[in-house]
Amino acid sequence: MIDADGYRPNVGIVLLNGDGRLFWARRVNRDGWQFPQGGMRSDETPLEAMYRELQEETGLLAHHVEVLAETRGWLRYRLPSRFVRHHQRPTCIGQKQVWFLLRLACSEEALRLDACEKPEFDLWRWVDFWYPAHHVVNFKRQVYERALRHFAPTVETVCRVEVGRCPQSVDAARRSASGT
């Protein structure tokens, strides 16, 4: 399902543990690490898609997590041209996402990367709150940073963990230094 502007509706999941650290997973047969995410079906709400993706990618069910927040509206990113399948119609130029902040409400032993027939991830770890904004693939960084900025006050209030401010991104630091 791709919208009229070429964006595929999608959900993203930020899963945190009791220490305010985030679930960070490596994609199967790739070096890339990311948050769980996935496309929405035409008959799903963002919340329904989130729970389906959560189960497919982490093995967690609704009773394993607590939904703390979600972003308002869509956060969009464009795919680099080399990833756009120009021969397909309609052409998908990127993703538009609703992000959810979840707190793990069970033991981490419930996490299962092999919960579906074709696993998305092969390894996971807990990372500091701002780490993903600077270590995800470049074209997703702005969306990750926006989602984390949106969730930071909730994490600090609900989890009583100080996450501080997002360190300036390398790209922003370069632009600032060059005056552009």
Side-chain angles (χ1 to χ4, degrees):
M1 181 171 80
I2 297 169
D3 73 11
D5 296 322
Y7 288 89
R8 179 177 175 240
N10 189 286
V11 294
I13 300 168
V14 177
L15 175 66
L16 70 135
N17 67 11
D19 298 327
R21 293 173 60 84
L22 307 181
F23 177 86
W24 190 236
R26 184 178 69 186
R27 300 202 49 205
V28 170
N29 298 321
R30 300 197 181 149
D31 288 333
W33 290 70
Q34 67 178 43
F35 290 132
Q37 69 175 55
M40 290 177 57
R41 297 176 181 154
S42 61
D43 63 341
E44 287 180 314
T45 66
L47 186 66
E48 290 167 338
M50 180 277 293
Y51 279 124
R52 178 182 49 75
E53 288 294 334
L54 180 71
Q55 182 177 4
E56 289 175 5
E57 297 189 3
T58 69
L60 297 175
L61 302 173
H63 68 274
H64 292 130
V65 298
E66 177 186 0
V67 178
L68 299 178
E70 71 181 84
T71 56
R72 291 183 212 98
W74 298 106
L75 301 183
R76 289 177 169 80
Y77 68 81
R78 287 185 68 111
L79 293 167
S81 184
R82 68 183 182 276
F83 294 132
V84 174
R85 297 178 184 137
H86 297 282
H87 61 282
Q88 288 186 345
R89 296 289 177 253
T91 301
C92 176
I93 62 163
Q95 302 214 19
K96 63 180 188 179
Q97 301 175 311
V98 173
W99 283 84
F100 291 87
L101 175 64
L102 310 179
R103 178 168 47 185
L104 190 64
C106 63
S107 164
E108 65 183 43
E109 276 71 45
L111 286 159
R112 289 193 41 236
L113 300 183
D114 62 351
C116 69
E117 200 172 302
K118 190 175 176 191
E120 183 80 21
F121 303 119
D122 62 6
L123 188 64
W124 69 272
R125 62 184 178 184
W126 297 111
V127 298
D128 291 334
F129 188 82
W130 295 111
Y131 181 89
H134 301 290
H135 291 88
V136 71
V137 65
N138 244 1
F139 62 89
K140 294 183 182 181
R141 286 187 183 172
Q142 188 175 34
V143 164
Y144 271 49
E145 187 172 320
R146 287 179 63 199
L148 291 174
R149 281 184 194 279
H150 181 80
F151 294 146
T154 302
V155 172
E156 289 187 330
T157 302
V158 173
C159 300
R160 296 183 183 92
V161 174
E162 188 174 328
V163 299
R165 296 182 63 185
C166 180
Q168 189 176 26
S169 70
V170 173
D171 294 337
R174 275 194 207 121
R175 284 192 303 274
S176 177
S178 68
T180 59

